[in-house]
Amino acid sequence: MILSLFDIDGTLISTDGAGMRAFRRALEAVFDIRVDKKVIRPDGKTDPLILKEILAHFDSSERWCIHSQQEMFARYLDFLEDEMGKTLESGRVRILPGVRDLLHALSSESDFALGLATGNLEGGARLKLEKTGLSGFFHFGGFGSDSEDRTELTRIGIRRGSRHVSPASVDGAFVIGDTPFDIIHGRNAGASVIAVASGGYGIRELQACKPDLALADLTPAESIISFMRTATGR
Ligand SMILES: [Mg+2]
């Protein structure tokens, strides 16, 4: 079996910043911090790491405690539901090119299992995928709520994938993502990596991090699937 673990933002969908708008609203509500858009580039980072970096930027680390983290993320999920709803209504949420075809094609192959490797909290990942009609494709995953460290959450996702396909054995795992972090942490977790330039990074920037394959978008499905099979020796 081949495990395919997808990143969400910039890889499967674009939410036109709904996630960061929700994050900023929650920061203001819980920590009374107003964050300028330019303060942080969230791409490829986990939600807990983004929060940690923002609090450090504002020298508010002393306000960091488990209670406030939990409150922040509970508020964030409420705001995310609201922001996703508004962004969908205005037609600014997009499923990225090739994604639907690739997910359908992979799902119909008996030697592939589909999961997630995303910095989103599990609740946020679920919300984004349910709102875009993609949640039914994915059966396991590693999330920002599992670890702030992307290597670790990817390892967790692979472990869950192995359990999901058991008693079949895993021939290989692929991370599909849109940032250098997906490439570096995917590789550190022992996966092969397909990088896609549909998010905030260009194909040259991604190629510089030496993914196994770099693509402008996730088309065509057949050649991506045959690349994964060949790379896994199937
Ligand atoms: Mg991404």
Side-chain angles (χ1 to χ4, degrees), residues 22-88:
F23 214 92
R24 292 209 306 274
R25 285 172 70 183
L27 277 168
E28 191 168 339
V30 176
F31 294 101
D32 197 26
I33 286 174
R34 281 160 198 78
V35 185
D36 191 270
K37 277 186 196 170
K38 286 168 248 153
V39 165
I40 197 148
R41 188 171 186 183
D43 315 33
K45 292 177 186 165
T46 61
D47 286 344
L49 184 62
I50 296 168
L51 176 58
K52 197 188 222 179
E53 288 186 359
I54 290 172
L55 292 177
H57 176 86
F58 285 92
D59 200 21
S60 301
S61 305
E62 75 276 6
R63 282 189 263 179
W64 169 266
C65 69
I66 287 296
H67 171 74
S68 54
Q69 180 191 12
Q70 285 169 347
E71 191 188 343
M72 158 81 201
F73 286 137
R75 298 296 297 274
Y76 163 70
L77 292 175
D78 288 341
F79 288 130
L80 182 61
E81 174 129 40
D82 180 56
E83 291 291 343
M84 279 296 289
K86 286 196 286 200
T87 315
L88 273 163

Short mmCIF file of all heavy atoms in Angstrom, two decimals, residues 22-88:
data_model
loop_
_atom_site.label_atom_id
_atom_site.label_comp_id
_atom_site.label_asym_id
_atom_site.label_seq_id
_atom_site.Cartn_x
_atom_site.Cartn_y
_atom_site.Cartn_z
N ALA A 22 -9.57 34.28 10.97
CA ALA A 22 -10.11 33.66 12.18
C ALA A 22 -9.06 33.67 13.29
O ALA A 22 -9.37 33.95 14.46
CB ALA A 22 -10.55 32.23 11.88
N PHE A 23 -7.81 33.39 12.92
CA PHE A 23 -6.71 33.38 13.89
C PHE A 23 -6.55 34.76 14.52
O PHE A 23 -6.42 34.90 15.74
CB PHE A 23 -5.43 32.98 13.15
CG PHE A 23 -4.47 32.17 13.98
CD1 PHE A 23 -4.52 30.79 13.98
CD2 PHE A 23 -3.52 32.80 14.77
CE1 PHE A 23 -3.64 30.04 14.74
CE2 PHE A 23 -2.63 32.06 15.53
CZ PHE A 23 -2.69 30.68 15.52
N ARG A 24 -6.60 35.81 13.69
CA ARG A 24 -6.42 37.17 14.21
C ARG A 24 -7.57 37.57 15.13
O ARG A 24 -7.37 38.24 16.14
CB ARG A 24 -6.26 38.17 13.06
CG ARG A 24 -4.96 37.96 12.28
CD ARG A 24 -4.43 39.26 11.65
NE ARG A 24 -5.42 39.90 10.84
CZ ARG A 24 -5.64 39.62 9.54
NH1 ARG A 24 -4.92 38.69 8.95
NH2 ARG A 24 -6.55 40.26 8.87
N ARG A 25 -8.78 37.16 14.77
CA ARG A 25 -9.93 37.47 15.64
C ARG A 25 -9.80 36.79 17.00
O ARG A 25 -10.10 37.37 18.05
CB ARG A 25 -11.24 37.05 14.95
CG ARG A 25 -11.66 37.99 13.83
CD ARG A 25 -12.83 37.44 13.05
NE ARG A 25 -14.09 37.42 13.79
CZ ARG A 25 -15.23 36.92 13.30
NH1 ARG A 25 -15.27 36.40 12.09
NH2 ARG A 25 -16.33 36.95 14.03
N ALA A 26 -9.32 35.53 16.98
CA ALA A 26 -9.16 34.80 18.24
C ALA A 26 -8.04 35.41 19.09
O ALA A 26 -8.16 35.51 20.31
CB ALA A 26 -8.88 33.33 17.96
N LEU A 27 -6.96 35.84 18.43
CA LEU A 27 -5.85 36.49 19.16
C LEU A 27 -6.33 37.74 19.87
O LEU A 27 -5.97 38.02 21.01
CB LEU A 27 -4.74 36.88 18.18
CG LEU A 27 -3.74 35.80 17.79
CD1 LEU A 27 -2.92 36.29 16.60
CD2 LEU A 27 -2.82 35.47 18.96
N GLU A 28 -7.15 38.50 19.16
CA GLU A 28 -7.66 39.74 19.74
C GLU A 28 -8.60 39.43 20.90
O GLU A 28 -8.53 40.07 21.95
CB GLU A 28 -8.38 40.55 18.65
CG GLU A 28 -8.70 41.95 19.10
CD GLU A 28 -9.15 42.85 17.96
OE1 GLU A 28 -8.84 42.55 16.79
OE2 GLU A 28 -9.80 43.86 18.26
N ALA A 29 -9.45 38.41 20.72
CA ALA A 29 -10.43 38.09 21.76
C ALA A 29 -9.78 37.54 23.02
O ALA A 29 -10.17 37.88 24.14
CB ALA A 29 -11.44 37.07 21.21
N VAL A 30 -8.75 36.71 22.86
CA VAL A 30 -8.18 36.01 24.02
C VAL A 30 -6.96 36.73 24.60
O VAL A 30 -6.80 36.83 25.81
CB VAL A 30 -7.82 34.55 23.64
CG1 VAL A 30 -7.15 33.83 24.81
CG2 VAL A 30 -9.08 33.80 23.21
N PHE A 31 -6.11 37.26 23.73
CA PHE A 31 -4.85 37.86 24.21
C PHE A 31 -4.84 39.39 24.07
O PHE A 31 -3.85 40.02 24.42
CB PHE A 31 -3.66 37.29 23.42
CG PHE A 31 -3.42 35.82 23.68
CD1 PHE A 31 -3.84 34.87 22.77
CD2 PHE A 31 -2.79 35.40 24.84
CE1 PHE A 31 -3.62 33.52 23.00
CE2 PHE A 31 -2.57 34.05 25.08
CZ PHE A 31 -2.98 33.10 24.16
N ASP A 32 -5.90 39.95 23.49
CA ASP A 32 -5.94 41.39 23.24
C ASP A 32 -4.76 41.85 22.38
O ASP A 32 -4.17 42.90 22.62
CB ASP A 32 -5.98 42.16 24.57
CG ASP A 32 -6.45 43.60 24.34
OD1 ASP A 32 -7.16 43.85 23.35
OD2 ASP A 32 -6.07 44.47 25.16
N ILE A 33 -4.41 41.01 21.41
CA ILE A 33 -3.31 41.33 20.50
C ILE A 33 -3.89 41.56 19.10
O ILE A 33 -4.68 40.76 18.62
CB ILE A 33 -2.31 40.15 20.43
CG1 ILE A 33 -1.49 40.07 21.71
CG2 ILE A 33 -1.39 40.28 19.23
CD1 ILE A 33 -0.59 38.85 21.75
N ARG A 34 -3.49 42.69 18.49
CA ARG A 34 -3.90 42.94 17.11
C ARG A 34 -2.71 42.71 16.20
O ARG A 34 -1.70 43.39 16.33
CB ARG A 34 -4.42 44.38 16.97
CG ARG A 34 -5.83 44.53 17.47
CD ARG A 34 -6.20 45.97 17.80
NE ARG A 34 -7.39 46.01 18.64
CZ ARG A 34 -7.40 45.78 19.94
NH1 ARG A 34 -6.28 45.48 20.58
NH2 ARG A 34 -8.53 45.82 20.63
N VAL A 35 -2.86 41.73 15.34
CA VAL A 35 -1.72 41.33 14.50
C VAL A 35 -1.89 41.85 13.09
O VAL A 35 -2.89 41.59 12.43
CB VAL A 35 -1.61 39.78 14.44
CG1 VAL A 35 -0.34 39.39 13.68
CG2 VAL A 35 -1.59 39.20 15.82
N ASP A 36 -0.87 42.58 12.66
CA ASP A 36 -0.82 43.01 11.27
C ASP A 36 -0.55 41.78 10.40
O ASP A 36 0.18 40.88 10.80
CB ASP A 36 0.32 44.03 11.10
CG ASP A 36 0.26 44.69 9.75
OD1 ASP A 36 0.88 44.15 8.83
OD2 ASP A 36 -0.42 45.73 9.63
N LYS A 37 -1.16 41.79 9.20
CA LYS A 37 -0.98 40.65 8.29
C LYS A 37 0.48 40.32 8.05
O LYS A 37 0.85 39.20 7.80
CB LYS A 37 -1.61 40.97 6.94
CG LYS A 37 -3.09 40.72 6.87
CD LYS A 37 -3.56 40.94 5.45
CE LYS A 37 -5.07 41.08 5.43
NZ LYS A 37 -5.59 41.51 4.16
N LYS A 38 1.33 41.39 8.06
CA LYS A 38 2.72 41.18 7.66
C LYS A 38 3.58 40.58 8.77
O LYS A 38 4.72 40.20 8.55
CB LYS A 38 3.33 42.52 7.24
CG LYS A 38 2.83 42.98 5.88
CD LYS A 38 3.22 44.42 5.61
CE LYS A 38 1.98 45.31 5.60
NZ LYS A 38 2.17 46.68 5.94
N VAL A 39 3.04 40.50 9.98
CA VAL A 39 3.86 40.05 11.10
C VAL A 39 4.34 38.62 10.91
O VAL A 39 5.46 38.28 11.26
CB VAL A 39 3.07 40.17 12.44
CG1 VAL A 39 3.74 39.38 13.54
CG2 VAL A 39 2.97 41.63 12.84
N ILE A 40 3.51 37.80 10.31
CA ILE A 40 3.90 36.39 10.21
C ILE A 40 3.44 35.79 8.89
O ILE A 40 2.37 36.13 8.39
CB ILE A 40 3.35 35.60 11.41
CG1 ILE A 40 4.09 34.27 11.52
CG2 ILE A 40 1.86 35.37 11.32
CD1 ILE A 40 4.22 33.82 12.93
N ARG A 41 4.30 34.92 8.37
CA ARG A 41 3.91 34.17 7.19
C ARG A 41 3.54 32.76 7.66
O ARG A 41 4.41 32.00 8.09
CB ARG A 41 5.09 34.13 6.20
CG ARG A 41 4.69 33.52 4.87
CD ARG A 41 5.76 33.68 3.81
NE ARG A 41 5.22 33.20 2.55
CZ ARG A 41 5.90 33.14 1.41
NH1 ARG A 41 7.15 33.55 1.38
NH2 ARG A 41 5.35 32.67 0.32
N PRO A 42 2.25 32.42 7.62
CA PRO A 42 1.83 31.16 8.23
C PRO A 42 2.09 29.92 7.40
O PRO A 42 2.06 28.81 7.93
CB PRO A 42 0.32 31.35 8.41
CG PRO A 42 -0.07 32.28 7.32
CD PRO A 42 1.11 33.18 7.09
N ASP A 43 2.39 30.10 6.10
CA ASP A 43 2.46 28.95 5.18
C ASP A 43 3.37 27.85 5.70
O ASP A 43 4.54 28.09 5.98
CB ASP A 43 3.04 29.37 3.81
CG ASP A 43 2.44 30.64 3.28
OD1 ASP A 43 2.11 31.52 4.10
OD2 ASP A 43 2.33 30.78 2.05
N GLY A 44 2.83 26.66 5.78
CA GLY A 44 3.64 25.49 6.12
C GLY A 44 3.87 25.30 7.61
O GLY A 44 4.44 24.32 8.03
N LYS A 45 3.42 26.29 8.42
CA LYS A 45 3.64 26.18 9.86
C LYS A 45 2.40 25.58 10.54
O LYS A 45 1.30 25.68 10.02
CB LYS A 45 3.93 27.55 10.48
CG LYS A 45 5.26 28.10 10.02
CD LYS A 45 5.52 29.48 10.57
CE LYS A 45 6.80 30.05 9.98
NZ LYS A 45 6.89 31.49 10.19
N THR A 46 2.60 24.99 11.70
CA THR A 46 1.46 24.42 12.43
C THR A 46 0.76 25.55 13.20
O THR A 46 1.39 26.55 13.57
CB THR A 46 1.92 23.35 13.43
OG1 THR A 46 2.80 23.94 14.38
CG2 THR A 46 2.66 22.21 12.71
N ASP A 47 -0.52 25.36 13.47
CA ASP A 47 -1.26 26.38 14.22
C ASP A 47 -0.62 26.69 15.58
O ASP A 47 -0.47 27.86 15.94
CB ASP A 47 -2.74 25.96 14.39
CG ASP A 47 -3.52 26.09 13.07
OD1 ASP A 47 -3.03 26.77 12.13
OD2 ASP A 47 -4.62 25.52 12.97
N PRO A 48 -0.20 25.67 16.37
CA PRO A 48 0.44 26.00 17.65
C PRO A 48 1.75 26.76 17.48
O PRO A 48 2.08 27.63 18.30
CB PRO A 48 0.70 24.62 18.29
CG PRO A 48 -0.17 23.68 17.58
CD PRO A 48 -0.42 24.22 16.20
N LEU A 49 2.50 26.47 16.41
CA LEU A 49 3.77 27.19 16.19
C LEU A 49 3.50 28.63 15.78
O LEU A 49 4.21 29.55 16.22
CB LEU A 49 4.59 26.46 15.11
CG LEU A 49 5.98 27.03 14.85
CD1 LEU A 49 6.86 26.95 16.10
CD2 LEU A 49 6.67 26.29 13.70
N ILE A 50 2.47 28.85 14.96
CA ILE A 50 2.11 30.23 14.57
C ILE A 50 1.78 31.05 15.82
O ILE A 50 2.25 32.17 16.00
CB ILE A 50 0.91 30.23 13.59
CG1 ILE A 50 1.30 29.54 12.27
CG2 ILE A 50 0.44 31.67 13.31
CD1 ILE A 50 0.11 29.24 11.36
N LEU A 51 0.99 30.45 16.71
CA LEU A 51 0.61 31.15 17.95
C LEU A 51 1.85 31.46 18.78
O LEU A 51 2.02 32.58 19.28
CB LEU A 51 -0.38 30.29 18.74
CG LEU A 51 -0.80 30.85 20.10
CD1 LEU A 51 -1.42 32.24 19.97
CD2 LEU A 51 -1.77 29.90 20.80
N LYS A 52 2.72 30.48 18.91
CA LYS A 52 3.93 30.67 19.72
C LYS A 52 4.77 31.81 19.15
O LYS A 52 5.27 32.67 19.89
CB LYS A 52 4.73 29.36 19.69
CG LYS A 52 5.78 29.22 20.75
CD LYS A 52 6.60 27.96 20.45
CE LYS A 52 6.88 27.17 21.69
NZ LYS A 52 7.65 25.96 21.41
N GLU A 53 4.92 31.86 17.83
CA GLU A 53 5.75 32.90 17.21
C GLU A 53 5.12 34.29 17.36
O GLU A 53 5.83 35.26 17.56
CB GLU A 53 5.98 32.57 15.72
CG GLU A 53 6.92 31.38 15.54
CD GLU A 53 7.28 31.10 14.08
OE1 GLU A 53 6.79 31.81 13.18
OE2 GLU A 53 8.06 30.16 13.86
N ILE A 54 3.79 34.34 17.26
CA ILE A 54 3.13 35.64 17.41
C ILE A 54 3.30 36.14 18.85
O ILE A 54 3.63 37.31 19.09
CB ILE A 54 1.63 35.56 17.03
CG1 ILE A 54 1.49 35.36 15.52
CG2 ILE A 54 0.88 36.81 17.48
CD1 ILE A 54 0.09 35.07 15.05
N LEU A 55 3.10 35.25 19.83
CA LEU A 55 3.24 35.66 21.23
C LEU A 55 4.68 36.10 21.52
O LEU A 55 4.91 37.07 22.24
CB LEU A 55 2.81 34.53 22.16
CG LEU A 55 1.32 34.18 22.13
CD1 LEU A 55 1.03 33.01 23.04
CD2 LEU A 55 0.46 35.37 22.51
N ALA A 56 5.64 35.41 20.91
CA ALA A 56 7.04 35.79 21.10
C ALA A 56 7.30 37.16 20.47
O ALA A 56 7.98 38.01 21.05
CB ALA A 56 7.96 34.74 20.49
N HIS A 57 6.72 37.39 19.29
CA HIS A 57 6.89 38.67 18.59
C HIS A 57 6.38 39.82 19.46
O HIS A 57 6.97 40.89 19.50
CB HIS A 57 6.14 38.63 17.26
CG HIS A 57 6.16 39.92 16.50
ND1 HIS A 57 7.19 40.25 15.65
CD2 HIS A 57 5.28 40.97 16.48
CE1 HIS A 57 6.94 41.45 15.14
NE2 HIS A 57 5.79 41.90 15.61
N PHE A 58 5.27 39.61 20.12
CA PHE A 58 4.70 40.66 20.97
C PHE A 58 5.24 40.59 22.39
O PHE A 58 4.71 41.25 23.29
CB PHE A 58 3.17 40.56 20.98
CG PHE A 58 2.56 41.05 19.70
CD1 PHE A 58 2.31 40.18 18.65
CD2 PHE A 58 2.26 42.39 19.53
CE1 PHE A 58 1.76 40.63 17.46
CE2 PHE A 58 1.71 42.86 18.34
CZ PHE A 58 1.46 41.97 17.31
N ASP A 59 6.25 39.74 22.58
CA ASP A 59 6.84 39.56 23.89
C ASP A 59 5.77 39.21 24.92
O ASP A 59 5.77 39.71 26.05
CB ASP A 59 7.60 40.82 24.32
CG ASP A 59 8.61 40.50 25.42
OD1 ASP A 59 9.00 39.33 25.55
OD2 ASP A 59 8.98 41.44 26.17
N SER A 60 4.83 38.37 24.51
CA SER A 60 3.71 38.02 25.39
C SER A 60 3.80 36.58 25.85
O SER A 60 2.81 35.98 26.23
CB SER A 60 2.38 38.21 24.64
OG SER A 60 2.25 39.53 24.21
N SER A 61 5.02 36.05 25.80
CA SER A 61 5.16 34.63 26.12
C SER A 61 4.68 34.31 27.53
O SER A 61 4.25 33.19 27.80
CB SER A 61 6.62 34.21 25.97
OG SER A 61 7.05 34.54 24.67
N GLU A 62 4.76 35.32 28.42
CA GLU A 62 4.32 35.04 29.80
C GLU A 62 2.81 34.81 29.87
O GLU A 62 2.31 34.23 30.82
CB GLU A 62 4.76 36.16 30.76
CG GLU A 62 3.97 37.45 30.68
CD GLU A 62 4.49 38.37 29.56
OE1 GLU A 62 5.37 37.95 28.79
OE2 GLU A 62 3.98 39.50 29.49
N ARG A 63 2.10 35.27 28.83
CA ARG A 63 0.66 35.04 28.80
C ARG A 63 0.32 33.63 28.28
O ARG A 63 -0.82 33.24 28.25
CB ARG A 63 -0.03 36.10 27.92
CG ARG A 63 -0.17 37.42 28.65
CD ARG A 63 -1.05 38.35 27.84
NE ARG A 63 -0.24 39.26 27.04
CZ ARG A 63 -0.76 40.16 26.23
NH1 ARG A 63 -2.06 40.28 26.10
NH2 ARG A 63 0.03 40.96 25.54
N TRP A 64 1.38 32.98 27.80
CA TRP A 64 1.22 31.63 27.24
C TRP A 64 0.98 30.64 28.37
O TRP A 64 1.78 30.52 29.28
CB TRP A 64 2.49 31.27 26.49
CG TRP A 64 2.61 29.85 26.09
CD1 TRP A 64 3.24 28.86 26.79
CD2 TRP A 64 2.08 29.25 24.91
NE1 TRP A 64 3.14 27.68 26.11
CE2 TRP A 64 2.44 27.88 24.95
CE3 TRP A 64 1.35 29.72 23.83
CZ2 TRP A 64 2.08 27.00 23.94
CZ3 TRP A 64 1.01 28.83 22.83
CH2 TRP A 64 1.37 27.50 22.90
N CYS A 65 -0.12 29.97 28.36
CA CYS A 65 -0.33 28.85 29.27
C CYS A 65 -1.33 27.93 28.61
O CYS A 65 -2.00 28.32 27.65
CB CYS A 65 -0.81 29.31 30.64
SG CYS A 65 -2.48 29.95 30.63
N ILE A 66 -1.39 26.72 29.12
CA ILE A 66 -2.25 25.73 28.47
C ILE A 66 -3.69 26.22 28.40
O ILE A 66 -4.37 26.08 27.38
CB ILE A 66 -2.16 24.39 29.25
CG1 ILE A 66 -0.81 23.74 28.96
CG2 ILE A 66 -3.29 23.45 28.88
CD1 ILE A 66 -0.58 23.34 27.51
N HIS A 67 -4.14 26.86 29.50
CA HIS A 67 -5.52 27.32 29.53
C HIS A 67 -5.80 28.32 28.40
O HIS A 67 -6.77 28.21 27.66
CB HIS A 67 -5.84 27.94 30.89
CG HIS A 67 -7.17 28.63 30.90
ND1 HIS A 67 -8.34 27.92 30.93
CD2 HIS A 67 -7.50 29.94 30.84
CE1 HIS A 67 -9.35 28.78 30.89
NE2 HIS A 67 -8.88 30.01 30.84
N SER A 68 -4.89 29.31 28.25
CA SER A 68 -5.13 30.33 27.22
C SER A 68 -4.97 29.76 25.82
O SER A 68 -5.65 30.18 24.88
CB SER A 68 -4.21 31.53 27.44
OG SER A 68 -2.88 31.13 27.50
N GLN A 69 -4.09 28.76 25.67
CA GLN A 69 -3.94 28.11 24.37
C GLN A 69 -5.25 27.40 23.99
O GLN A 69 -5.73 27.53 22.87
CB GLN A 69 -2.80 27.08 24.42
CG GLN A 69 -2.60 26.37 23.08
CD GLN A 69 -1.67 25.16 23.16
OE1 GLN A 69 -1.31 24.69 24.24
NE2 GLN A 69 -1.27 24.67 22.02
N GLN A 70 -5.80 26.68 24.97
CA GLN A 70 -7.05 25.96 24.68
C GLN A 70 -8.18 26.93 24.35
O GLN A 70 -8.96 26.71 23.44
CB GLN A 70 -7.44 25.07 25.87
CG GLN A 70 -6.56 23.83 25.96
CD GLN A 70 -6.74 23.06 27.26
OE1 GLN A 70 -7.33 23.57 28.21
NE2 GLN A 70 -6.22 21.85 27.30
N GLU A 71 -8.23 28.03 25.12
CA GLU A 71 -9.29 29.02 24.88
C GLU A 71 -9.11 29.66 23.50
O GLU A 71 -10.06 29.82 22.73
CB GLU A 71 -9.25 30.09 25.97
CG GLU A 71 -10.47 30.99 25.92
CD GLU A 71 -10.34 32.17 26.87
OE1 GLU A 71 -9.49 32.13 27.78
OE2 GLU A 71 -11.10 33.14 26.68
N MET A 72 -7.85 30.00 23.19
CA MET A 72 -7.54 30.60 21.88
C MET A 72 -8.00 29.68 20.75
O MET A 72 -8.65 30.12 19.79
CB MET A 72 -6.02 30.84 21.84
CG MET A 72 -5.39 30.96 20.47
SD MET A 72 -5.57 32.58 19.72
CE MET A 72 -5.32 32.14 17.99
N PHE A 73 -7.68 28.39 20.85
CA PHE A 73 -8.01 27.50 19.75
C PHE A 73 -9.51 27.18 19.69
O PHE A 73 -10.06 26.96 18.60
CB PHE A 73 -7.14 26.24 19.80
CG PHE A 73 -5.72 26.51 19.35
CD1 PHE A 73 -4.64 25.99 20.04
CD2 PHE A 73 -5.48 27.33 18.25
CE1 PHE A 73 -3.33 26.26 19.63
CE2 PHE A 73 -4.19 27.61 17.83
CZ PHE A 73 -3.12 27.07 18.52
N ALA A 74 -10.18 27.19 20.83
CA ALA A 74 -11.64 27.00 20.82
C ALA A 74 -12.30 28.19 20.11
O ALA A 74 -13.19 28.02 19.26
CB ALA A 74 -12.17 26.85 22.24
N ARG A 75 -11.83 29.40 20.46
CA ARG A 75 -12.39 30.59 19.81
C ARG A 75 -12.05 30.60 18.32
O ARG A 75 -12.87 30.96 17.47
CB ARG A 75 -11.85 31.89 20.46
CG ARG A 75 -12.20 32.06 21.92
CD ARG A 75 -13.70 32.21 22.15
NE ARG A 75 -14.31 33.37 21.53
CZ ARG A 75 -14.37 34.58 22.09
NH1 ARG A 75 -13.83 34.78 23.27
NH2 ARG A 75 -14.94 35.58 21.47
N TYR A 76 -10.83 30.20 18.01
CA TYR A 76 -10.39 30.14 16.61
C TYR A 76 -11.32 29.27 15.78
O TYR A 76 -11.73 29.65 14.68
CB TYR A 76 -8.94 29.62 16.55
CG TYR A 76 -8.54 29.14 15.17
CD1 TYR A 76 -8.35 30.04 14.12
CD2 TYR A 76 -8.35 27.78 14.90
CE1 TYR A 76 -8.00 29.59 12.84
CE2 TYR A 76 -8.00 27.33 13.64
CZ TYR A 76 -7.83 28.24 12.61
OH TYR A 76 -7.50 27.80 11.36
N LEU A 77 -11.69 28.10 16.30
CA LEU A 77 -12.56 27.19 15.52
C LEU A 77 -13.94 27.81 15.29
O LEU A 77 -14.52 27.66 14.22
CB LEU A 77 -12.66 25.82 16.20
CG LEU A 77 -11.36 25.01 16.19
CD1 LEU A 77 -11.52 23.71 16.99
CD2 LEU A 77 -10.88 24.70 14.77
N ASP A 78 -14.45 28.55 16.30
CA ASP A 78 -15.73 29.26 16.10
C ASP A 78 -15.59 30.31 15.01
O ASP A 78 -16.42 30.43 14.12
CB ASP A 78 -16.16 29.96 17.40
CG ASP A 78 -16.64 28.96 18.44
OD1 ASP A 78 -16.96 27.81 18.05
OD2 ASP A 78 -16.65 29.32 19.64
N PHE A 79 -14.52 31.11 15.12
CA PHE A 79 -14.32 32.17 14.12
C PHE A 79 -14.05 31.57 12.73
O PHE A 79 -14.46 32.13 11.71
CB PHE A 79 -13.15 33.08 14.51
CG PHE A 79 -13.45 34.00 15.67
CD1 PHE A 79 -12.58 34.08 16.76
CD2 PHE A 79 -14.59 34.79 15.67
CE1 PHE A 79 -12.86 34.94 17.82
CE2 PHE A 79 -14.87 35.64 16.73
CZ PHE A 79 -14.00 35.72 17.81
N LEU A 80 -13.38 30.42 12.69
CA LEU A 80 -13.08 29.79 11.41
C LEU A 80 -14.37 29.36 10.70
O LEU A 80 -14.51 29.54 9.49
CB LEU A 80 -12.16 28.57 11.61
CG LEU A 80 -11.73 27.86 10.32
CD1 LEU A 80 -10.93 28.78 9.40
CD2 LEU A 80 -10.89 26.61 10.65
N GLU A 81 -15.29 28.84 11.47
CA GLU A 81 -16.58 28.45 10.88
C GLU A 81 -17.24 29.67 10.24
O GLU A 81 -17.73 29.62 9.12
CB GLU A 81 -17.47 27.85 11.99
CG GLU A 81 -18.87 27.55 11.53
CD GLU A 81 -19.29 26.12 11.88
OE1 GLU A 81 -18.94 25.68 12.97
OE2 GLU A 81 -19.95 25.49 11.03
N ASP A 82 -17.21 30.77 10.97
CA ASP A 82 -17.81 32.02 10.49
C ASP A 82 -17.08 32.54 9.25
O ASP A 82 -17.70 32.87 8.23
CB ASP A 82 -17.75 33.06 11.63
CG ASP A 82 -18.35 34.38 11.22
OD1 ASP A 82 -19.53 34.37 10.79
OD2 ASP A 82 -17.66 35.41 11.29
N GLU A 83 -15.75 32.58 9.32
CA GLU A 83 -14.96 33.12 8.20
C GLU A 83 -15.06 32.23 6.96
O GLU A 83 -15.13 32.73 5.83
CB GLU A 83 -13.49 33.29 8.60
CG GLU A 83 -13.23 34.39 9.63
CD GLU A 83 -13.46 35.80 9.08
OE1 GLU A 83 -13.51 35.98 7.85
OE2 GLU A 83 -13.61 36.72 9.91
N MET A 84 -15.05 30.91 7.16
CA MET A 84 -15.19 30.00 6.02
C MET A 84 -16.55 30.19 5.37
O MET A 84 -16.68 30.20 4.15
CB MET A 84 -15.02 28.54 6.46
CG MET A 84 -13.59 28.07 6.61
SD MET A 84 -12.63 28.07 5.08
CE MET A 84 -13.36 26.69 4.18
N GLY A 85 -17.59 30.34 6.21
CA GLY A 85 -18.95 30.55 5.69
C GLY A 85 -19.01 31.80 4.83
O GLY A 85 -19.51 31.78 3.70
N LYS A 86 -18.44 32.90 5.36
CA LYS A 86 -18.48 34.18 4.62
C LYS A 86 -17.67 34.10 3.33
O LYS A 86 -18.08 34.61 2.29
CB LYS A 86 -17.92 35.31 5.50
CG LYS A 86 -18.89 35.72 6.61
CD LYS A 86 -18.54 37.05 7.23
CE LYS A 86 -17.34 36.96 8.13
NZ LYS A 86 -17.20 38.04 9.09
N THR A 87 -16.51 33.43 3.41
CA THR A 87 -15.64 33.36 2.22
C THR A 87 -16.26 32.46 1.16
O THR A 87 -16.16 32.75 -0.04
CB THR A 87 -14.22 32.87 2.64
OG1 THR A 87 -13.82 33.57 3.81
CG2 THR A 87 -13.21 33.13 1.54
N LEU A 88 -16.91 31.39 1.60
CA LEU A 88 -17.62 30.52 0.64
C LEU A 88 -18.75 31.28 -0.04
O LEU A 88 -18.92 31.22 -1.25
CB LEU A 88 -18.20 29.30 1.37
CG LEU A 88 -17.27 28.10 1.53
CD1 LEU A 88 -17.81 27.16 2.59
CD2 LEU A 88 -17.10 27.35 0.21
#
